[in-house]
Amino acid sequence: MPVIVRIARWRVPLGFLFGVAAVMLSRPSPRSLALGALVGVCGEAVRIWAAGHLEKGREVTRSGPYRWTRHPLYAGSSIMGVGLAIASRSLIVALLVIAYLAVTTAAAIRTEEAHLIEKFGSEYGAYREGTAAPVVRHFSLARAIRNREYRAALGFALVFTILALRSRGVL
């Protein structure tokens, strides 16, 4: 199995590992937490918006944020990562976040796009090239839940709760 596929498959467990390291190396303050949470909530909002349009494995989704970017879930995750880096108030954490996102997101995008080309062929090719017509579909919270976006939201809330406790000297 190619390394890139392994990295893509291991991105979530690696995220937990990097998350633990980020929390342990963080030095959050009330101000860094507030600013980081604001940025992170924006990233999670992008993810929820995307998940509320995504029909994973059934089609090439072209509505909502997919009209402007092929990978809005990864864009949202990257924004959340910036929020974590800000909240942590640590250069080392910021570098870890950048390294983690650069390596795992690139691997995930490459493997995902290869799969989409294999599954949807010229339809995905037209989407990639920007020649496919957008699809009108309304956001659906039920769809976002079906896509299990609540897991990212809960993880975000958990990490920021832990950082808040660290900022108060509890952890």
Side-chain angles (χ1 to χ4, degrees):
M1 177 183 327
V3 172
I4 196 160
V5 174
R6 285 191 195 136
I7 292 169
R9 287 188 179 168
W10 280 88
R11 76 181 180 279
V12 173
L14 286 171
F16 286 115
L17 182 64
F18 274 74
V20 168
V23 166
M24 292 175 61
L25 296 168
S26 68
R27 299 178 300 109
S29 68
R31 184 174 181 198
S32 72
L33 273 172
L35 184 56
L38 179 64
V39 171
V41 164
C42 291
E44 180 56 32
V46 169
R47 286 187 55 89
I48 291 169
W49 183 30
H53 283 270
L54 180 63
E55 287 293 344
K56 193 173 192 175
R58 297 182 189 165
E59 67 177 23
V60 176
T61 302
R62 300 187 312 259
S63 63
Y66 290 90
R67 288 182 298 192
W68 296 290
T69 181
R70 292 192 313 262
H71 302 288
L73 288 168
Y74 298 136
S77 294
S78 296
I79 296 167
M80 291 171 72
V82 170
L84 172 62
I86 292 168
S88 72
R89 207 172 61 116
S90 166
L91 180 60
I92 294 171
V93 171
L95 294 173
L96 280 174
V97 167
I98 290 167
Y100 169 79
L101 287 171
V103 171
T104 62
T105 302
I109 287 171
R110 284 187 58 194
T111 58
E112 184 176 298
E113 288 196 345
H115 169 74
L116 291 169
I117 288 168
E118 183 179 310
K119 185 167 185 166
F120 297 107
S122 63
E123 182 183 357
Y124 187 72
Y127 173 69
R128 275 181 67 172
E129 293 167 12
T131 59
V135 172
V136 176
R137 172 185 292 137
H138 296 290
F139 171 82
S140 166
L141 183 58
R143 190 178 298 115
I145 291 168
R146 189 172 62 243
N147 284 318
R148 298 185 295 232
E149 187 53 33
Y150 57 85
R151 295 190 314 187
L154 289 172
F156 174 79
L158 176 64
V159 167
F160 272 78
T161 298
I162 293 168
L163 288 175
L165 292 172
R166 280 188 63 84
S167 76
R168 294 188 175 137
V170 176
L171 294 177

